[in-house]
Amino acid sequence: MTEEKRKPTPEEKAKAAAEARAKAEALRKAKEEQQAAEQAGAEPAQAGAEPIGDSQAGAKPDNPTQAAVESKAFDQSAAPSKPVSEMTPEEKAAAKAAAAAAAAAKAKAAREGSAESGAGGDDADAKTKAAAAAKAKAAAAAAAAAKAKAAREAAGQSGESAEAGGDDAKAKAAAAAKAKAAAAAAAKAKAAKAGDADTETAPVAPKEPSKNQPFLDKYVARISERFGADVLESSYINELAKEVPTLVVKNQRWHEVAQFLRDDEELGFEYLSNLHGVDYEDRMEVYYHFYSYKNRQSVAVKVKTDREQPTVASVVDIWKGADWNERETYDLLGIHFPGHTDLRRILLPDDWVGYPLRKDYVQYDEEV
């Protein structure tokens, strides 16, 4: 904050008030002295004395030109160097002090001139001394004002330089942070590249087989032995579902394979725990989960079907628990289960249009 904008402290206010009072007192005294001098010069004229000009005729300075020059220089030194509206508070105070000193000097010179009208040489010396003193005082005031102005400008320049230094520091910090981030990114890219190179060069360790792989091999062997290898489309360990052994059975052979899964002594999947349908947009599938309490083993079976006319053979005659599951799959996906004795909607009314779990389902009544 510059010196002009900040608020003065109580001490500065008190000091300024004291200076103002002193200046006012000096002006008052100078004015009184000037009035007294004017009255003293008027009294001899009223008493019939000679005019001041005549009485001083013999006391004129030895060099009138020098006196005029000194008087003019005195007046110019006391006068302000620029308009009052453009002055700073310090310059205004200095100008006031110079004016007061000039007025006091003029009053004193007039008073001494009227009192010492007979002493021409002494009066000229006194006037010269008074003019020199006033000129020195004015010069001192002007020097003080110039010093204050220089100090104020130096303070403003230091503030600007500090702000510029702050901006430079911010720019340097930003550049350093940017360089640090670039270095970190380069190091990360280098590490990633090195990791890729290691991956390419290092051999991939073979994945350990699932703990349920022997059970899957057993199921595939038993079914292939009974129906041939082409009855299964694929088989795998479903890692997304607790590594359950999964079989994909051809749609046309599903019912007889289901019968075998329940009745075979080595398989013995007498319990159907779940049945649901899935819409894959290009096809539909029915997903079954079976469990063998005798062998404490589980298996999952998938049967694919066409999406336009989805049909999968019913297994209600093998597992009675498939009844409501097949009805729900029919109700929400529209998959038909030939062989089901009571295939009708179970959640929605009979007049419901469409199948809500299909991915292309559009609600018939938009306001519902």
Side-chain angles (χ1 to χ4, degrees), residues 198-275:
D198 294 341
T199 303
E200 292 176 358
T201 56
V204 179
K207 188 175 181 180
E208 295 183 359
S210 170
K211 61 181 180 180
N212 292 329
Q213 186 65 43
F215 301 123
L216 178 62
D217 296 339
K218 171 187 172 182
Y219 307 154
V220 172
R222 290 296 299 160
I223 295 174
S224 299
E225 182 183 350
R226 175 65 176 82
F227 300 99
D230 60 344
V231 74
L232 297 176
E233 294 186 8
S234 63
S235 61
Y236 59 94
I237 298 293
N238 192 343
E239 296 180 354
L240 300 179
K242 299 180 180 180
E243 298 187 354
V244 61
T246 303
L247 306 173
V248 182
V249 180
K250 287 188 176 180
N251 192 315
Q252 299 82 357
R253 309 291 300 274
W254 164 233
H255 191 271
E256 52 185 325
V257 172
Q259 188 77 47
F260 181 75
L261 288 174
R262 189 196 68 173
D263 298 340
D264 184 69
E265 291 292 333
E266 296 185 21
L267 300 179
F269 293 106
E270 70 271 20
Y271 177 64
L272 170 65
S273 59
N274 188 21
L275 181 164

Side-chain angles (χ1 to χ4, degrees), residues 30-351:
K31 188 175 181 181
E32 289 178 356
E33 291 177 358
Q34 185 176 3
Q35 290 177 356
E38 291 175 357
Q39 290 176 2
E43 287 177 358
Q46 293 175 359
E50 293 180 358
I52 294 176
D54 295 336
S55 64
Q56 293 177 351
K60 291 182 180 180
D62 296 336
N63 191 352
T65 305
Q66 180 179 0
V69 171
E70 290 178 355
S71 177
K72 185 176 181 180
F74 173 80
D75 294 338
Q76 290 178 353
S77 64
S81 59
K82 58 182 178 180
V84 178
S85 61
E86 298 180 1
M87 290 184 179
T88 63
E90 292 81 0
E91 293 175 344
K92 289 181 180 179
K96 287 182 180 180
K106 285 183 178 181
K108 185 175 180 181
R111 186 170 61 254
E112 290 177 353
S114 61
E116 300 177 0
S117 58
D122 295 338
D123 184 58
D125 293 339
K127 287 183 179 180
T128 302
K129 290 180 180 180
K135 186 175 182 181
K137 187 180 270 190
K147 186 177 181 180
K149 184 177 180 182
R152 187 168 59 255
E153 291 177 353
Q157 291 177 357
S158 63
E160 293 177 357
S161 63
E163 291 179 359
D167 295 338
D168 293 341
K170 290 180 181 179
K172 289 180 180 178
K178 188 174 182 180
K180 190 175 181 181
K188 187 176 180 180
K190 185 176 180 181
K193 187 176 181 180
D196 294 340
D198 294 341
T199 303
E200 292 176 358
T201 56
V204 179
K207 188 175 181 180
E208 295 183 359
S210 170
K211 61 181 180 180
N212 292 329
Q213 186 65 43
F215 301 123
L216 178 62
D217 296 339
K218 171 187 172 182
Y219 307 154
V220 172
R222 290 296 299 160
I223 295 174
S224 299
E225 182 183 350
R226 175 65 176 82
F227 300 99
D230 60 344
V231 74
L232 297 176
E233 294 186 8
S234 63
S235 61
Y236 59 94
I237 298 293
N238 192 343
E239 296 180 354
L240 300 179
K242 299 180 180 180
E243 298 187 354
V244 61
T246 303
L247 306 173
V248 182
V249 180
K250 287 188 176 180
N251 192 315
Q252 299 82 357
R253 309 291 300 274
W254 164 233
H255 191 271
E256 52 185 325
V257 172
Q259 188 77 47
F260 181 75
L261 288 174
R262 189 196 68 173
D263 298 340
D264 184 69
E265 291 292 333
E266 296 185 21
L267 300 179
F269 293 106
E270 70 271 20
Y271 177 64
L272 170 65
S273 59
N274 188 21
L275 181 164
H276 62 271
V278 182
D279 182 7
Y280 288 99
E281 294 186 346
D282 62 335
R283 70 184 188 283
M284 287 191 179
E285 292 182 2
V286 179
Y287 199 51
Y288 302 85
H289 289 267
F290 301 102
Y291 187 75
S292 172
Y293 286 101
K294 180 178 67 174
N295 300 323
R296 296 185 179 277
Q297 299 171 8
S298 62
V299 68
V301 177
K302 288 185 177 182
V303 180
K304 299 179 182 180
T305 182
D306 180 65
R307 195 171 184 278
E308 299 300 325
Q309 295 181 347
T311 302
V312 177
S314 175
V315 292
V316 174
D317 57 330
I318 303 173
W319 295 279
K320 296 297 183 182
D323 185 2
W324 284 10
N325 295 82
E326 290 182 356
R327 287 180 58 186
E328 181 182 12
T329 304
Y330 163 74
D331 189 7
L332 301 179
L333 286 165
I335 299 177
H336 291 263
F337 294 92
H340 194 290
T341 57
D342 189 21
L343 189 63
R344 54 189 173 87
R345 290 187 182 270
I346 191 174
L347 298 175
L348 302 175
D350 294 337
D351 58 350

